[in-house]
């Protein structure tokens, strides 16, 4: 089944900290993918090194915002995930919304939960090819292989 890499960025993690044990924003983001019918195959909270963040965003290294983007990603722990399902790359990007939250439609994660392009709470792979690269980078240990008993009620 098609897979994608999704990451709740440091602002998304910090803003979910409403008390010592309840992370509202992280839970809300996970539940949007889960309710759609995608399968969570990998999940971990991790603080990444600068060199790792630079590798993840290597395609953007020539952009003027690259240095700030790397600072942003290493500014705190992120929640890294692998989601699977039919068209999960393209549909996942729709659930996430446009890069700049000012342009993200209401109902999308960025449209509902973010204000600034440099604090847009979430990442999702932009193609099947980058998904497989990003999953290999972030989950070299592998992911869980499973399917829900409800599968035939969600997929034709
Ligand atoms: N970004 C930024 N300024 C820009 C464009 C992008 O700070 O002008 C950041 C933003 O956090 C974005 C990330 O760089 O999510 C990666 O950019 P990309 O174009 O890949 O957008 P995405 O795939 O995340 O929608
Ligand atoms: Mg991108």
């Amino acid at each position: 089944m098609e897979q994608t890499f999704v990451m709740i960025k440091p602002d998304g993690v910090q803003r979910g900290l409403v008390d010592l044990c309840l992370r509202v924003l992280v839970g809300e983001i996970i539940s949007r993918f889960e309710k759609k019918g995608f399968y969570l195959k990998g999940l971990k909270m991790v603080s990444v090194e600068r060199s790792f963040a630079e590798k993840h965003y290597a395609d953007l290294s020539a952009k003027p915002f690259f240095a700030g983007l790397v600072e942003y990603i290493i500014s705190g722990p992120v929640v890294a995930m692998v989601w699977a399902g039919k068209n999960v790359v393209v549909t996942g990007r729709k659930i996430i919304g446009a890069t700049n939250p000012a342009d993200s439609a209401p109902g999308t994660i960025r449209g509902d939960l973010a204000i600034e392009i440099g604090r847009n709470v979430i990442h999702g792979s932009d193609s099947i090819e980058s998904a497989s690269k990003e999953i290999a980078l972030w989950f070299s240990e592998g992911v869980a292989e499973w399917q829900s008993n409800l599968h035939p009620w969600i997929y034709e």
Side-chain angles (χ1 to χ4, degrees):
M1 214 179 340
E2 184 174 311
Q3 298 189 138
T4 192
F5 172 72
V6 172
M7 165 177 54
I8 303 174
K9 294 175 175 177
D11 50 332
V13 175
Q14 297 295 334
R15 288 175 51 196
L17 191 60
V18 295
D19 66 32
L20 286 179
C21 61
L22 182 64
R23 291 182 173 265
V24 169
L25 211 78
V26 167
E28 174 163 348
I29 290 172
I30 290 173
S31 91
R32 288 183 183 210
F33 279 81
E34 208 168 36
K35 285 189 271 191
K36 175 72 174 169
F38 293 134
Y39 293 137
L40 183 58
K41 297 187 67 181
L43 172 72
K44 62 185 174 188
M45 189 179 215
V46 55
S47 298
V48 297
E49 307 268 342
R50 181 179 301 276
S51 58
F52 188 96
E54 286 170 351
K55 201 168 175 191
H56 171 74
Y57 279 123
D59 291 353
L60 300 175
S61 59
K63 301 283 185 189
F65 57 83
F66 181 71
L69 175 58
V70 170
E71 289 298 333
Y72 166 37
I73 296 305
I74 66 173
S75 64
V78 300
V79 175
M81 292 173 273
V82 175
W83 287 93
K86 186 176 184 184
N87 295 329
V88 68
V89 170
V90 166
T91 305
R93 297 269 298 181
K94 286 183 188 161
I95 290 171
I96 287 170
T99 304
N100 189 341
D103 303 323
S104 322
T108 65
I109 291 169
R110 287 168 173 165
D112 289 348
L113 306 175
I115 300 283
E116 301 266 15
I117 193 167
R119 297 289 184 272
N120 59 0
V121 306
I122 185 164
H123 164 86
S125 309
D126 62 8
S127 66
I128 291 178
E129 193 195 0
S130 33
S132 83
K133 267 195 228 165
E134 291 169 3
I135 292 167
L137 177 66
W138 288 80
F139 287 89
S140 55
E141 68 275 28
V143 296
E145 291 306 333
W146 70 285
Q147 205 171 69
S148 166
N149 284 334
L150 293 176
H151 191 83
W153 295 106
I154 304 167
Y155 291 84
E156 283 188 323

